[in-house]
């Protein structure tokens, strides 16, 4: 992606006001592209100048990537020494920090396990006695939403609206019991358990409240109810010098994650809970041209406003926003390809003073409401030999079958890795059920040992029957034997033989066929497994594939490759610097920007999305429409220089083709249709004709 335009060296008046407000709670309404990260890092510098120690400043973000960016930018501003002790963390990593220190007060041992999404699915399937992944996934979503609202299983049972939710509440109770027995937590627990801890334990609450002199929260509009209560507790307390010392940075116009528990109500609560709250809007945009910002402001004006804010920039009007009317999905994708080709053919002619004359593929993004819309764009881009990446698509290493195998390899390297143990011992199933694992977890928690170490303890027999002990010992002995062989096996062929023998011994192929309703899907997953075996084997043989060819490296044992697997995976997934067009959902595009953006499928039913259910309450529909309008606003404000918006005359809905109705958001943009309707294929033809005429008119060589 192209480098973002930098704001000027000096802060603008609103940014300066936000940085220098140290006298109490502050809400910075950071419009799209208004330099919010710059404000946060400069405010950290100002707090250090005011006498706070680095360890007394906490900056909380939502993603590891955002935390890393903030850490690096703060380091560049205040220096490595001052930045080293700053607490720059995600909400979840702050929760881990609290639970590692005080988790024993809510029943956790220090080395508790953190389950990922697939681990949670496995526990839920077992707890609910379900073989249907779709059903287990729906339980997972429902339980997660309840947890984000601060509800446990008893509270969930009280609010369950229908039979499905009543079942989900019962499954939630069994799920809670298993997590407690396994000494494990899920991602939602990393927020809800620290909140319970601080609510119930006066000593822990006083210590954590006294720890931070100022807390800064990025993307505040994305917080859920539990995160708000945790933040409120952290910045409250008896010390008047510390109470209310926080800066929330967010944008009510970019709150688009209601479906996963985020609530815009947290913005309404701030002035109610903190009457002395200082509200500072950042309205100067350092990203987009005037025409793009006008379209964005016009759309978002359709929503009721919590706080007044209107974006503007100093970049001039720029090109008009282009409206593309397309016959259907294929026509739309063809026009998007022509849009890319025509702008690249113009080169520097359309580049503004922030961009170089060369327009790269990485300068383009095609954004859409739903993942299924990507397929036809992929087809047309491949046909035109235009390189692309699908942002937010599932990584090879995120597939359940690959995570299963990685859990085994992680356990070979570190037998104290409890999440890896739980995944490996139950995948495939080997007669070791949740009751056995629950008792093993209780024993490990009591003696503060790992699950693997506990299974060989002599006194475990007092907790478990002979059959359970036998199954655990059989698993432990096999793992020890596999670790010994992995330590001494090197070279591609021997490594492949070992890995295939391991998969045969544990019956992994049969496990895939037993767990899938479709043989075709099971075969596809087994193919992924074989690809993974080849991937590991090549590295054992010393093969290194890089741009430019394949090279011979030093041969490694299977265990050595397993030890570096996390690093290898992260390197394999690096692609940020590639010159490719980005395909992305609108949700995944938030926080990113491109010089040239194509918004696809802007039709009623797609954006705004229309749910199939007919009995949705009017106030719920109104709230959803407001969030869909914010999603359109986010899409528009991703564009720096050129924005094209396409709508379909006919669109596919399931197996049917239905009439396409332009989205109400197009009318709300208030575009001047005469100047914005354009067929990029015609423009490309004109460019080629002009280029041909130029060549013909050139004098012959001497």
């Amino acid at each position: 992606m192209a480098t973002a335009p930098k704001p000027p060296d000096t802060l603008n008046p609103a940014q300066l006001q936000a940085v220098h407000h140290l006298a109490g709670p502050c809400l910075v309404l950071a419009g799209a592209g208004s330099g919010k990260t710059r404000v946060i890092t400069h405010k950290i510098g100002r707090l250090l100048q005011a006498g706070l120690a680095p360890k007394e400043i906490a900056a909380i973000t939502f993603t590891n990537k955002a935390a890393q960016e903030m850490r690096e930018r703060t380091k560049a501003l205040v220096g490595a020494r001052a930045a080293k002790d700053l607490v720059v963390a995600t909400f979840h990593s702050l929760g881990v920090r609290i639970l590692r220190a005080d988790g024993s007060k809510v029943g956790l041992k220090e080395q508790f396990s953190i389950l990922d999404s697939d681990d949670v699915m496995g526990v839920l399937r077992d707890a609910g006695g379900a073989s249907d992944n779709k059903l287990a996934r729906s339980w997972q979503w429902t339980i997660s939403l309840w947890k984000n609202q601060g509800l446990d299983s008893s509270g969930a049972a009280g609010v369950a609206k229908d039979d499905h939710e009543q079942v989900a509440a019962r499954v939630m109770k069994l799920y809670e019991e298993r997590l407690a027995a396994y000494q494990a937590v899920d991602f939602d627990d990393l927020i809800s358990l620290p909140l319970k801890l601080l609510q119930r334990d006066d000593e822990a609450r006083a210590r954590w409240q006294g720890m931070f002199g100022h807390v800064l929260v990025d993307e505040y509009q994305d917080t859920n109810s539990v995160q708000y209560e945790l933040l409120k507790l952290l910045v409250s307390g008896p010390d008047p010098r510390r109470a209310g010392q926080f800066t929330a940075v967010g944008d009510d116009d970019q709150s688009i994650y209601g479906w996963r528990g985020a609530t815009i109500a947290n913005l309404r609560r701030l002035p109610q809970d903190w009457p002395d709250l200082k509200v500072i809007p950042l309205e100067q945009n350092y990203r987009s041209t005037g025409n793009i910002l006008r379209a964005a402001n016009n759309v978002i004006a359709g929503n009721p406003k919590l706080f007044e804010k209107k974006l503007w920039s100093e970049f001039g009007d720029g090109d008009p926003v282009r409206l593309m009317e397309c016959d259907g999905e294929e026509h739309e994708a063809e026009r998007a390809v022509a849009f890319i080709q025509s702008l690249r053919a113009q080169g520097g002619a359309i580049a503004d003073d922030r961009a170089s004359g060369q327009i790269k593929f990485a300068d383009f993004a095609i954004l859409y409401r739903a993942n299924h819309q990507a397929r036809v764009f992929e087809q047309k881009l491949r046909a035109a030999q235009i390189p692309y990446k699908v942002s937010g698509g599932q990584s090879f290493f995120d597939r359940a079958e690959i995570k299963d195998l990685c859990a085994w390899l992680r356990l070979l390297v570190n037998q104290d890795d409890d999440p890896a143990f739980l995944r490996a011992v139950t995948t495939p199933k080997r007669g070791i059920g949740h009751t056995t694992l629950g008792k093993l977890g209780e024993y490990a928690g009591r003696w503060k040992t790992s699950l693997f170490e506990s299974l060989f303890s002599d006194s475990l027999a007092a907790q478990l029957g002979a059959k359970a002990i036998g199954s655990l010992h059989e698993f432990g002995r096999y793992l020890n034997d596999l670790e010994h062989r992995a330590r001494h096996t090197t070279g591609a062929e021997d490594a492949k033989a070992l890995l295939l023998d391991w998969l045969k011994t544990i019956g992994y192929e049969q496990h895939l066929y037993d767990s899938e309703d479709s043989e075709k899907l099971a075969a596809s997953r087994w193919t992924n497994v074989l690809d993974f075996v080849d991937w590991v084997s090549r590295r054992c043989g010393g093969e290194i594939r890089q741009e430019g060819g394949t090279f011979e490296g030093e041969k490694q044992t299977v265990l050595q490759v397993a030890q570096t697997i996390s690093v290898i995976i992260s390197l394999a997934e690096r692609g940020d610097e590639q010159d490719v067009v980005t395909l992305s959902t609108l949700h995944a595009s938030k926080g990113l920007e491109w010089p040239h953006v194509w918004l696809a499928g802007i039709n009623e039913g797609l954006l705004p999305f229309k749910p199939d259910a007919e009995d949705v309450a009017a106030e719920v529909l109104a709230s959803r429409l407001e969030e869909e309008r914010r999603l359109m606003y986010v899409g528009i404000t991703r564009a720096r220089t050129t924005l094209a918006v396409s709508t379909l005359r006919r669109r596919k809905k399931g197996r049917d083709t239905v009439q396409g109705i332009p989205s109400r958001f197009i009318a709300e943009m208030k575009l001047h249709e005469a100047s914005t309707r354009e067929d990029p294929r015609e423009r490309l033809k004109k460019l080629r004709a002009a280029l041909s005429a130029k060549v013909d008119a050139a004098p012959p060589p001497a």
Side-chain angles (χ1 to χ4, degrees):
M1 191 172 66
T3 304
K6 292 183 179 178
D9 292 336
T10 55
L11 297 168
N12 67 41
Q15 291 173 329
L16 280 170
Q17 189 182 12
V19 166
H20 289 283
H21 181 78
L22 306 180
C26 180
L27 171 61
V28 180
L29 286 171
S34 63
K36 68 181 176 66
T37 305
R38 196 159 180 267
V39 167
I40 293 172
T41 54
H42 277 75
K43 187 152 192 175
I44 290 171
R46 179 70 187 89
L47 290 164
L48 292 170
Q49 285 179 348
L52 282 183
K55 65 182 180 181
E56 294 179 301
I57 301 171
I60 304 174
T61 70
F62 272 81
T63 66
N64 289 321
K65 184 177 180 182
Q68 182 62 28
E69 181 191 358
M70 193 173 295
R71 206 174 279 115
E72 289 172 357
R73 290 176 66 169
T74 304
K75 181 179 173 182
L77 185 69
V78 304
R81 191 172 180 179
K84 181 169 69 74
D85 292 329
L86 291 170
V87 179
V88 182
T90 64
F91 266 105
H92 293 92
S93 60
L94 180 64
V96 171
R97 184 183 292 226
I98 294 171
L99 291 178
R100 293 287 185 217
D102 291 304
S104 60
K105 296 177 179 179
V106 286
L108 289 176
K109 67 176 184 178
E110 189 177 344
Q111 294 303 317
F112 58 86
S113 301
I114 302 170
L115 305 186
D116 68 14
S117 178
D118 286 326
D119 294 330
V120 169
M121 275 278 287
V123 178
L124 283 174
R125 277 198 309 266
D126 186 43
S131 57
D132 181 1
N133 282 346
K134 187 176 180 182
L135 177 60
R137 185 71 72 192
S138 72
W139 289 338
Q140 185 176 6
W141 273 101
T142 304
I143 290 169
S144 178
L145 281 172
W146 280 333
K147 286 190 175 189
N148 288 333
Q149 293 163 7
L151 299 172
D152 58 13
S153 57
S154 57
V159 301
K161 299 191 295 288
D162 51 33
D163 290 344
H164 169 76
E165 290 196 356
Q166 287 168 4
V167 171
R170 290 195 292 271
V171 171
M172 186 177 183
K173 181 172 176 53
L174 296 170
Y175 174 62
E176 289 170 344
E177 292 170 357
R178 279 160 175 72
L179 290 187
Y182 295 166
Q183 283 289 296
V185 299
D186 61 24
F187 265 58
D188 297 317
D189 293 327
L190 295 177
I191 312 297
S192 60
L193 287 178
L195 175 60
K196 286 177 184 173
L197 168 69
L198 298 186
Q199 286 172 332
R200 297 173 184 175
D201 192 284
D202 295 342
E203 181 190 352
R205 181 171 63 251
R207 188 169 66 257
W208 284 95
Q209 285 175 343
M211 194 169 294
F212 301 124
H214 201 97
V215 177
L216 303 102
V217 183
D218 191 16
E219 302 288 9
Y220 176 78
Q221 77 282 345
D222 293 338
T223 55
N224 59 42
S225 300
V226 180
Q227 287 163 334
Y228 178 78
E229 292 298 335
L230 179 61
L231 170 67
K232 188 177 172 184
L233 264 180
L234 283 173
V235 299
S236 300
D239 186 346
R241 295 168 301 171
R242 303 249 160 165
Q245 293 297 319
F246 70 86
T247 301
V249 182
D251 183 4
D252 50 332
D253 292 333
Q254 295 188 74
S255 179
I256 60 172
Y257 295 116
W259 48 275
R260 68 182 189 198
T263 173
I264 201 168
N266 287 350
L267 279 158
R268 294 191 190 99
R269 291 178 65 182
L270 273 181
Q272 295 166 6
D273 290 343
W274 309 94
D276 57 340
L277 179 75
K278 179 72 172 176
V279 180
I280 302 171
L282 302 183
E283 299 175 296
Q284 184 171 1
N285 174 282
Y286 293 98
R287 177 186 299 158
S288 306
T289 58
N291 279 322
I292 292 170
L293 293 181
R294 262 191 295 280
N297 287 331
N298 288 340
V299 166
I300 206 63
N303 275 359
K305 303 296 287 182
L306 290 177
F307 307 97
E308 280 303 319
K309 180 174 80 316
K310 197 167 187 178
L311 295 180
W312 61 276
S313 82
E314 295 180 338
F315 295 137
D317 284 346
D319 283 355
V321 176
R322 309 175 187 195
L323 178 61
M324 309 293 194
E325 293 180 345
C326 308
D327 294 335
E329 286 85 356
E330 289 214 1
H331 184 212
E332 178 181 49
E334 288 166 359
R335 294 189 74 174
V337 167
F339 167 77
I340 293 167
Q341 291 171 328
S342 67
L343 288 185
R344 277 175 53 81
Q346 291 175 75
I350 58 89
D352 60 28
D353 59 6
R354 298 166 288 156
S356 67
Q358 178 61 42
I359 298 177
K360 304 187 293 295
F361 287 122
D363 293 334
F364 294 89
I366 299 172
L367 309 180
Y368 37 80
R369 178 64 176 79
N371 279 308
H372 70 82
Q373 292 171 264
R375 185 184 60 82
V376 67
F377 288 103
E378 289 190 73
Q379 290 174 344
K380 299 301 180 183
L381 288 167
R382 284 198 301 267
Q385 296 185 326
I386 294 176
Y388 68 89
K389 67 176 179 182
V390 182
S391 181
Q394 188 182 42
S395 156
F396 178 77
F397 296 99
D398 284 335
R399 298 178 189 277
E401 57 272 21
I402 306 306
K403 292 177 98 169
D404 288 343
L405 306 188
C406 286
W408 277 82
L409 295 181
R410 280 164 47 198
L411 201 53
L412 295 185
V413 172
N414 173 21
Q415 295 178 340
D416 292 335
D417 186 336
D418 283 355
F421 176 91
L422 286 171
R423 188 161 192 144
V425 79
T426 55
T427 313
K429 292 190 181 301
R430 60 191 73 257
I432 300 173
H434 71 269
T435 303
T436 297
L437 291 174
K439 290 181 177 178
L440 180 66
E442 289 172 13
Y443 183 90
R446 189 181 315 124
W447 296 103
K448 299 192 179 344
T449 61
S450 69
L451 295 171
F452 186 85
E453 186 180 353
S454 297
L455 68 83
F456 287 113
S457 175
D458 292 337
S459 56
L460 184 64
Q463 303 282 320
L464 293 169
K467 184 178 179 183
I469 290 286
S471 297
L472 287 171
H473 283 179
E474 181 184 354
F475 173 74
R477 282 192 296 270
Y478 179 69
L479 198 80
N480 281 332
D481 175 63
L482 186 61
E483 190 273 343
H484 176 80
R485 293 167 64 198
R487 185 184 296 278
H488 294 94
T489 300
T490 187
E493 291 302 317
D494 289 345
K496 188 169 187 176
L498 168 62
L499 295 169
L500 290 175
D501 180 65
W502 157 50
L503 294 171
K504 183 178 179 182
T505 301
I506 66 174
Y508 193 77
E509 183 178 12
Q510 189 60 48
H511 158 74
L512 292 180
Y513 279 89
D514 290 343
S515 60
E516 290 292 350
D517 296 331
S518 160
E519 279 201 14
K520 184 177 180 182
L521 185 54
S524 173
R525 293 182 65 191
W526 179 244
T527 300
N528 291 334
V529 168
L530 296 179
D531 287 346
F532 180 76
V533 167
D534 286 339
W535 184 82
V536 174
S537 301
R538 288 198 304 270
R539 280 153 184 79
C540 290
E543 181 180 309
I544 303 170
R545 291 188 177 183
Q546 297 176 349
E547 190 175 344
T550 301
F551 304 93
E552 280 291 320
E554 188 177 343
K555 290 186 178 181
Q556 301 179 77
T557 67
V558 173
L559 194 65
Q560 285 173 322
V561 172
Q563 285 170 334
T564 58
I565 200 160
S566 296
V567 178
I568 293 170
I569 288 171
S570 66
L571 289 173
E573 292 179 323
R574 277 167 58 183
D576 294 344
E577 302 306 317
Q578 292 178 329
D579 185 21
V580 295
V581 173
T582 297
L583 302 181
S584 174
T585 63
L586 286 161
H587 283 100
S589 74
K590 186 168 169 287
L592 303 175
E593 61 183 75
W594 296 268
H596 314 293
V597 171
W598 179 288
L599 295 184
I602 310 302
N603 282 74
E604 291 291 309
L606 283 172
L607 187 70
F609 178 74
K610 183 182 178 183
D612 291 331
E614 298 293 334
D615 57 347
V616 182
E619 62 270 20
V620 173
L621 285 174
S623 174
R624 287 180 182 174
L625 177 61
E626 288 173 15
E627 182 158 319
E628 292 288 298
R629 186 175 280 113
R630 293 193 291 269
L631 191 58
M632 180 70 177
Y633 173 84
V634 165
I636 293 169
T637 54
R638 298 314 92 198
R640 283 173 52 187
T641 306
T642 313
L643 175 65
V645 179
S646 60
T647 184
L648 306 172
R649 296 187 183 96
R650 291 181 298 278
R651 69 180 185 88
K652 290 178 181 174
K653 187 177 181 183
R655 295 183 178 180
D656 300 325
T657 298
V658 297
Q659 181 183 357
I661 301 171
S663 170
R664 68 195 74 185
F665 301 150
I666 291 176
E668 291 176 5
M669 291 171 79
K670 299 180 181 176
L671 306 178
H672 300 295
E673 292 193 358
S675 62
T676 59
R677 293 176 188 271
E678 179 182 15
D679 188 335
R681 293 173 301 182
E682 291 303 316
R683 187 167 185 174
L684 188 59
K685 282 180 189 174
K686 289 175 185 175
L687 279 166
R688 285 173 175 160
L691 182 62
S692 176
K694 203 172 187 179
V695 170
D696 291 343

